[in-house]
Amino acid sequence: MAAELEYESVLCVKPDVSVYRIPPRASNRGYRASDWKLDQPDWTGRLRITSKGKIAYIKLEDKVSGELFAQAPVEQYPGIAVETVTDSSRYFVIRIQDGTGRSAFIGIGFSDRGDAFDFNVSLQDHFKWVKQESEISKESQEMDNRPKLDLGFKEGQTIKLSIGNITTKKGGASRPKTTAAGGLSLLPPPPGGRVTIPPPSSSVAISNHVTPPPVPKSSHGGTDAALFQTRHHSHPTGSSSEEHWQDVKDRLEES
């Protein structure tokens, strides 16, 4: 059922290929294209390489009608289904089969060396992919056969989680300490309290205060300046300045 669901894909198409009848191999040294009549091919047509699942098919078809002339199933490459000749890179020996199980070996060749290269690479790429798919399938099967881990909780099983350094007290969570610069720990202020700033000391002098110098006093209870002013305004009009200053001098000496 799985084989019927597989689809056929085209790997390579070459419009010009020659087919030769080849003599039986005389020894194990391999096939030689020089033993064939290369200038007289037995059939010419088109070559297609297709794949269905892991098997590749080399199909020889008519150029005009596309009718199938012969077909060579390839289950492994390199292998007995496709062999290279020992004296050229443009010729190969393939094993064709019909639906009844009969098989025969024929020679094919390309006039262009690039077509022979494409023919060879198409088969190599297909079986490289087959090998990778087999390895992936094998690894997947090994994974399925391994015992699976049961990560579910058993009945009554619990787990304990530890998150950071969170500690709690009865009645509420503890209040974190405040760390000042330099690594000192400062306690937070009490809730609802106020911080009272003390008044400045009375011994601190008030800036920009200047005490005027004392004014000398006379023995009569007044200042010299007042006395001078009194004497200046009390002398008679028209007296000379010398008499005035002499009078002031005499009174200062008496005092």
Side-chain angles (χ1 to χ4, degrees), residues 4 13 22 36 77 83 96 129 136 173 181 188 193 207 213 232 238 244:
E4 295 179 357
V13 177
I22 59 175
W36 309 345
Y77 184 77
E83 298 182 52
I96 59 175
W129 171 81
I136 294 173
S207 61
H232 176 73
H244 170 70

Side-chain angles (χ1 to χ4, degrees), residues 54 129-145:
K54 298 181 179 180
W129 171 81
V130 171
K131 182 178 179 181
Q132 292 176 352
E133 288 293 317
S134 298
E135 292 176 353
I136 294 173
S137 177
K138 183 178 179 181
E139 292 177 358
S140 177
Q141 186 176 4
E142 290 178 355
M143 292 292 294
D144 294 339
N145 293 333

Side-chain angles (χ1 to χ4, degrees), residues 140-172:
S140 177
Q141 186 176 4
E142 290 178 355
M143 292 292 294
D144 294 339
N145 293 333
R146 292 178 183 177
K148 297 182 180 180
L149 296 177
D150 185 9
L151 301 179
F153 286 98
K154 304 297 187 295
E155 184 178 356
Q157 185 179 5
T158 60
I159 60 174
K160 182 179 180 181
L161 298 178
S162 178
I163 304 176
N165 295 324
I166 299 176
T167 58
T168 59
K169 292 183 179 180
K170 183 178 181 181

Side-chain angles (χ1 to χ4, degrees), residues 43 45-48 59-70:
W43 184 86
R46 179 181 67 187
L47 179 141
R48 278 199 314 141
K59 296 184 178 183
L60 304 175
E61 301 171 342
D62 185 82
K63 290 182 179 181
V64 179
S65 63
E67 182 181 358
L68 182 64
F69 171 75

Side-chain angles (χ1 to χ4, degrees), residues 39-239:
D39 56 344
Q40 299 177 3
D42 296 290
W43 184 86
T44 58
R46 179 181 67 187
L47 179 141
R48 278 199 314 141
I49 301 177
T50 63
S51 66
K52 191 172 183 180
K54 298 181 179 180
I55 303 176
Y57 297 89
I58 301 173
K59 296 184 178 183
L60 304 175
E61 301 171 342
D62 185 82
K63 290 182 179 181
V64 179
S65 63
E67 182 181 358
L68 182 64
F69 171 75
Q71 176 174 274
V74 183
E75 297 180 358
Q76 183 181 357
Y77 184 77
I80 192 174
V82 181
E83 298 182 52
T84 58
V85 297
T86 59
D87 57 348
S88 177
S89 61
R90 297 187 292 117
Y91 297 92
F92 303 86
V93 175
I94 63 174
R95 184 183 62 180
I96 59 175
Q97 294 180 345
D98 58 11
T100 61
R102 294 181 301 175
S103 62
F105 291 92
I106 61 174
I108 61 173
F110 303 93
S111 57
D112 189 347
R113 196 176 302 275
D115 291 343
F117 176 80
D118 293 342
F119 171 82
N120 189 23
V121 170
S122 298
L123 292 174
Q124 288 179 352
D125 289 345
H126 171 72
F127 286 99
K128 185 183 296 184
W129 171 81
V130 171
K131 182 178 179 181
Q132 292 176 352
E133 288 293 317
S134 298
E135 292 176 353
I136 294 173
S137 177
K138 183 178 179 181
E139 292 177 358
S140 177
Q141 186 176 4
E142 290 178 355
M143 292 292 294
D144 294 339
N145 293 333
R146 292 178 183 177
K148 297 182 180 180
L149 296 177
D150 185 9
L151 301 179
F153 286 98
K154 304 297 187 295
E155 184 178 356
Q157 185 179 5
T158 60
I159 60 174
K160 182 179 180 181
L161 298 178
S162 178
I163 304 176
N165 295 324
I166 299 176
T167 58
T168 59
K169 292 183 179 180
K170 183 178 181 181
S174 62
R175 182 176 299 170
K177 295 183 179 180
T178 305
T179 304
L184 298 178
S185 298
L186 301 178
L187 293 175
R194 292 185 178 180
V195 178
T196 304
I197 301 176
S201 175
S202 60
S203 62
V204 179
I206 301 175
S207 61
N208 299 328
H209 178 75
V210 179
T211 304
V215 179
K217 296 182 180 181
S218 64
S219 59
H220 299 282
T223 63
D224 292 342
L227 180 62
F228 173 77
Q229 187 176 7
T230 304
R231 299 297 183 187
H232 176 73
H233 290 287
S234 63
H235 66 65
T237 305
S239 61

